[in-house]
Amino acid sequence: MIKFFSKIAEWLRRYDETHNFTCDVCGREVFAGERVCAACRKTLPFNDRLICPYCGRRVREAGVCLECKQSRPAVEKARSAFVHEGEAAALVLRFKKGSKYLFRTLCDFLMPLLEREFADADSLTFVPMTKRARRKRGYNQSRLLAEELSRRSGKQFLDAAEKRRETSMQKSLGRREREKNLKGCFRVTDKGAVRGKRIVIVDDTFTTGSTVSELARALLHAGAECVYALTVTSVPDRRNAAENRT
């Protein structure tokens, strides 16, 4: 009986992977199973122009962004599929606010980056949430992305860290405040699984890099060989943008 229900669950999963009837951006009917229609794909703000080589955020001029010149993230490098604006930002917000099914759509855009930028990585992990925060949302969006990318790529999925305490909302905090807010909040629970690994942290948005940096430090302290970050969107360096407006 258990095998029967497992087969049903697997069939439903495969059906969801291959059948899509409306565009996840505009909601219009699609006919080739695509998750984002061709018209909407053209409007998405792909992060495929000049980027900082370290944090991967969009910059106006080639080279290292102003924030990374002051203090680089703890990850070796970070990359994102989109700039955090327009329909891309809206997709991430919907994903975090209950549209759990969007993880497959977002992974369609993350997979090419994973293959191109992190071919040497052997493992994928996610930004953990406290049990209270996970119960409130109903799922960990970062984990959904990492699990799906692991399944598609064959890279090992690691559930080897925990978030030990609740932190204040990051949205209104600057970089230094974010770092102070997050300091010491992550703990590696399985050092053996982390030791010697080249790990990609998967998350929804790279804002200042404080969250992935704090988790990266914990992973490196536990013996990881190298840590990267892969996110759906990234917020451009605000100071760089402000400097270029003056």
Side-chain angles (χ1 to χ4, degrees), residues 106-175:
L106 299 177
C107 283
D108 287 347
F109 296 105
L110 289 174
M111 265 304 294
L113 265 181
L114 177 64
E115 293 174 335
R116 184 173 71 248
E117 298 285 345
F118 306 111
D120 65 327
D122 49 52
S123 306
L124 299 167
T125 194
F126 59 98
V127 177
M129 303 170 71
T130 62
K131 291 181 179 179
R132 179 182 177 185
R134 189 169 63 250
R135 282 196 302 269
K136 184 177 180 180
R137 178 167 292 165
Y139 56 92
N140 181 330
Q141 75 279 2
S142 174
R143 179 173 186 142
L144 286 175
L145 295 172
E147 286 180 327
E148 179 67 5
L149 290 174
S150 171
R151 188 189 65 76
R152 295 189 190 190
S153 68
K155 295 182 187 292
Q156 182 184 17
F157 172 76
L158 294 179
D159 180 2
E162 66 177 2
K163 190 173 183 181
R164 298 192 289 181
R165 58 179 172 82
E166 294 285 357
T167 50
S168 302
M169 291 292 290
Q170 296 272 90
K171 189 174 181 180
S172 61
L173 302 179
R175 181 169 183 167

